[in-house]
Amino acid sequence: MKLVFAGTPEVAVPALDALLASGRHEVAAVVTRPDAPAGRGRRLVASPVADRAEEAGIEVLKPAKPKDPEFLERLREIGPDCCPVVAYGALLPRVALDIPAHGWVNLHFSLLPAWRGAAPVQHAIMAGDEITGASTFLIEEGLDSGPVYGTVTEEIRATDTSGDLLTRLAFAGAGLLAATMDGIEDGTLKAVQQPADGISLAPKVNVEDAHLDWSAPALRVDRMVRGCTPAPGAWTTFRGERLKLIQVTPVPDRTDLAPGQIAAGKNNVYAGTGSYGVELLWVQAQGKKPMRAADWARGVRIGEGERLGG
């Protein structure tokens, strides 16, 4: 088939690579978000998908909005049979959805209908799920509600951050998306409507959502930290300044600390929760680089009875 691939961040690059390497389909163009300011100088930078497409000599389309007439006209001129999508980042209007004969097929990082929305991996970890995966589905105008072509499953490990898990799913999902394109082309794959039961939503996790509640159980604190790493970053406050927590681990036998109470030894730093303690392993103080929690604690000289979170 002739394909136009839509995607923007680094997590979409493995899927583009898989389609380029398949040898069975032609990736005629790539659609991605416009260049965005990045870094200290805030200079405009192309998306990872745009960079990869340019390396491969593929036409790159960067519409401000996918309903722009110039973009729609160019898409009609290309005449794709199907448009595979991975984390494109913009809502596709009906007029765009109708252009390819086989529609737009999205690779979504959950087992639909679980975790429909922008942050499925973060929510799966924060909810304590043991299994997740990726799904390919036909995009409709509803939120991740279209019929599903195929899935792959992935275990959520006890120490997984959302970054760890998303990286694994990006590569597993790349193979699924390529296989889905093959099945659509040869007619062996039919999309199946999602069940009405088991729907859960995964909206974007913002900075305020990542504010830790020390009255929550230790397992909840650990899941919040892992789910919000690397972005937006779980955080608390210490002496009125924000402190980001990068890695913690539950310590069931540490039951002597009140929620938020912090205790530092020579090589270990602990904080109390609503159940038992957690050990702080890596932290990032405001305006500082990430560091081992023990090094941070030595620098700030924690007093007896001091607390995280005010």
Side-chain angles (χ1 to χ4, degrees), residues 1-8 19 29-33 61-63 65-68 71-76 78-108 112 135-142 144-149 177 180-181 184 191 194:
M1 295 190 295
K2 182 187 286 188
L3 307 178
V4 170
F5 178 86
T8 297
L19 294 171
V30 156
V31 184
T32 191
R33 299 295 290 147
L61 306 174
K62 302 179 183 180
K65 295 181 179 179
K67 66 179 180 181
D68 290 351
F71 165 68
L72 295 172
E73 182 58 31
R74 181 61 190 135
L75 192 62
R76 291 188 189 98
I78 295 169
D81 298 300
C82 189
C83 293
V85 185
V86 185
Y88 170 47
L91 188 65
L92 295 162
R94 181 79 261 168
V95 63
L97 294 178
D98 289 340
I99 291 174
H102 294 287
W104 297 64
V105 175
N106 191 46
L107 172 64
H108 182 76
L112 291 170
S135 307
T136 49
F137 71 94
L138 182 66
I139 294 179
E140 299 178 337
E141 290 182 282
D144 300 334
S145 60
V148 173
Y149 283 105
L177 185 62
T180 299
M181 293 298 105
I184 290 172
Q194 295 182 33

Side-chain angles (χ1 to χ4, degrees), residues 195-218:
D197 297 329
I199 296 170
S200 51
L201 301 180
K204 182 180 179 180
V205 180
N206 62 37
V207 173
E208 284 307 312
D209 296 328
H211 189 180
L212 291 172
D213 175 9
W214 292 104
S215 69

Side-chain angles (χ1 to χ4, degrees), residues 5 7-10 12-13 16-17 20 30-36 38 43-62:
F5 178 86
T8 297
E10 188 66 41
V13 173
L16 175 57
D17 282 338
L20 291 171
V30 156
V31 184
T32 191
R33 299 295 290 147
D35 297 358
R43 67 185 182 89
L44 291 178
V45 175
S47 74
V49 165
D51 285 341
R52 179 67 187 94
E54 286 168 2
E55 286 174 10
I58 299 169
E59 180 181 357
V60 179
L61 306 174
K62 302 179 183 180

